[in-house]
Amino acid sequence: SKDWNGIDQIVLRNPQGASARVSLHGGQVTSWRNDRGEELLFTSSKAIFKPPKSMRGGIPICFPQFGNCGSLEQHGFARSKIWTIDDNPPPLHLNESTGKSFIDLLLKPSEEDLKCWPHSFEFRLRVSLASDGNLALISRIRNINGKPFSFSFAYHTYLSVSDISEVRIEGLETLDYLDNLCQRNRFTEQGDAITFESEVDRVYLSSQNCIAVLDHERKRTYVLRKEGLPDVVVWNPWDKKSKSMADFGDEEYKQMLCVDGAAIEKPITLKPGEEWTGRLELAVVSSSFCSEN
Ligand code: TA6
């Protein structure tokens, strides 16, 4: 067994050479590479690796609040906290039958945390890398024995793309969305794939559970499959907004797109003893479809 003390990030690797790296800071996936070593997630060249700030990129966890529509800091505190390895019972780290390597992380509120969000929760995050290179994040949030509480949630997923103007999203057609750029007013998406010519900051509502992000230039399609996450955040800051962010390079908006599995419109409410599960699986395929399998 390994000495987990003092290691602030864990690397999962599969026999084919794919890998994923998870930081105990924020429980944040900070890298996901395919079996050719290509990085599939965006990280800003000006990212600040200084707790409590979350690194600009990878997959920050937004909990217990998405955005700034509540009393907590933007996107809640989970991404700013130091998580622990959940080795009770000691995890196998590798499931021989499925070839999945995984790590289980745990976040529980400190006395300090309970002052700003007085709810006794346990948040278990499993990050796993399958033998086919797919990355999966499974969040299990339980109300230990306090009074009922509600939260919103997002896997704030920064996908790496070659050129945002060559990217389109399939699977969100005809859905309603809340537009963060227009006082979160509600609009309805037309019938064709979403493309990008300017800043986009939207929450698509009650989407189907399979979304495809097609990077035309790289002939690469990300397929997001999700459970327990009815909404999808789509965000690209474009040039003006990204120039206003210290940890975002001036032209980097062209190489990223946030597509987040989320639960935002209808916050999750847990009664004492209840548990919620939110699962996101990321795959990269070379063609553009969401197969039923
Ligand atoms: O919709 C995504 C969003 O809420 C944007 O408005 C932008 O603020 C982005 O998240 C990044 O937030 P952060 O706190 O990580 O800078």
Side-chain angles (χ1 to χ4, degrees):
S1 70
K2 295 192 174 204
D3 167 14
W4 294 109
N5 296 327
I7 294 182
D8 59 5
Q9 52 193 6
I10 298 96
V11 177
L12 302 172
R13 207 174 294 285
N14 77 3
Q16 294 70 23
S19 67
R21 197 178 62 223
V22 195
S23 173
L24 290 187
H25 176 228
Q28 186 169 351
V29 171
T30 54
S31 170
W32 172 40
R33 292 172 186 257
N34 63 17
D35 52 11
R36 292 191 297 283
E38 292 166 327
E39 179 58 60
L40 301 168
L41 298 178
F42 168 83
T43 297
S44 166
S45 61
K46 298 171 84 173
I48 299 166
F49 296 86
K50 187 171 172 301
K53 184 164 175 49
S54 78
M55 178 201 90
R56 174 74 58 196
I59 309 178
I61 303 273
C62 300
F63 171 84
Q65 171 191 297
F66 178 80
N68 46 24
C69 51
S71 60
L72 301 173
E73 66 207 83
Q74 159 107 327
H75 294 331
F77 52 74
R79 66 175 178 170
S80 311
K81 296 291 174 192
I82 300 299
W83 292 53
T84 56
I85 305 274
D86 180 19
D87 44 10
N88 174 19
L92 293 173
H93 294 307
L94 176 65
N95 178 324
E96 300 291 348
S97 59
T98 62
K100 261 188 192 179
S101 57
F102 61 86
I103 185 74
D104 290 340
L105 302 184
L106 173 63
L107 179 70
K108 290 198 283 194
S110 64
E111 285 312 308
E112 195 57 31
D113 299 334
L114 288 168
K115 286 187 192 127
C116 74
W117 201 64
H119 302 297
S120 56
F121 70 88
E122 277 186 8
F123 186 157
R124 284 180 161 73
L125 172 68
R126 171 165 290 188
V127 179
S128 71
L129 184 71
S131 49
D132 59 6
N134 291 1
L135 175 70
L137 287 83
I138 302 159
S139 291
R140 289 187 179 80
I141 297 171
R142 176 185 291 275
N143 179 338
I144 294 308
N145 58 10
K147 52 190 184 306
F149 61 74
S150 301
F151 62 91
S152 50
F153 180 96
Y155 288 117
H156 203 18
T157 308
Y158 285 76
L159 298 174
S160 170
V161 298
S162 53
D163 175 356
I164 187 62
S165 53
E166 298 284 323
V167 170
R168 68 180 202 278
I169 301 179
E170 293 179 355
L172 300 176
E173 296 83 357
T174 74
L175 290 181
D176 280 4
Y177 63 87
L178 305 178
D179 194 332
N180 240 1
L181 305 181
C182 306
Q183 296 79 35
R184 291 169 67 87
N185 286 337
R186 199 180 181 109
F187 298 86
T188 300
E189 187 54 59
Q190 304 83 13
D192 45 12
I194 297 168
T195 54
F196 299 87
E197 300 86 27
S198 61
E199 181 180 359
V200 169
D201 190 351
R202 301 173 181 169
V203 181
Y204 284 83
L205 306 175
S206 312
S207 83
Q208 62 187 36
N209 288 336
C210 178
I211 308 292
V213 179
L214 293 81
D215 180 342
H216 177 72
E217 212 164 287
R218 275 197 192 129
K219 301 276 174 289
R220 176 188 287 171
T221 297
Y222 293 100
V223 177
L224 287 74
R225 289 188 176 81
K226 53 193 180 68
E227 289 153 38
L229 300 162
D231 305 325
V232 177
V233 178
V234 176
W235 176 57
N236 186 291
W238 221 253
D239 55 356
K240 189 160 160 289
K241 173 70 77 67
S242 55
K243 284 193 173 75
S244 74
M245 295 154 64
D247 59 351
F248 217 119
D250 286 357
E251 298 295 305
E252 284 185 328
Y253 71 92
K254 294 175 181 168
Q255 277 87 44
M256 57 73 68
L257 177 63
C258 277
V259 183
D260 310 357
I264 296 172
E265 184 193 23
K266 301 185 181 69
I268 311 288
T269 298
L270 295 180
K271 294 195 283 289
E274 273 191 328
E275 179 174 90
W276 171 81
T277 300
R279 187 180 192 282
L280 173 71
E281 184 189 69
L282 296 172
V284 181
V285 295
S286 52
S287 46
S288 61
F289 64 92
C290 275
S291 72
E292 290 321 304
N293 61 35

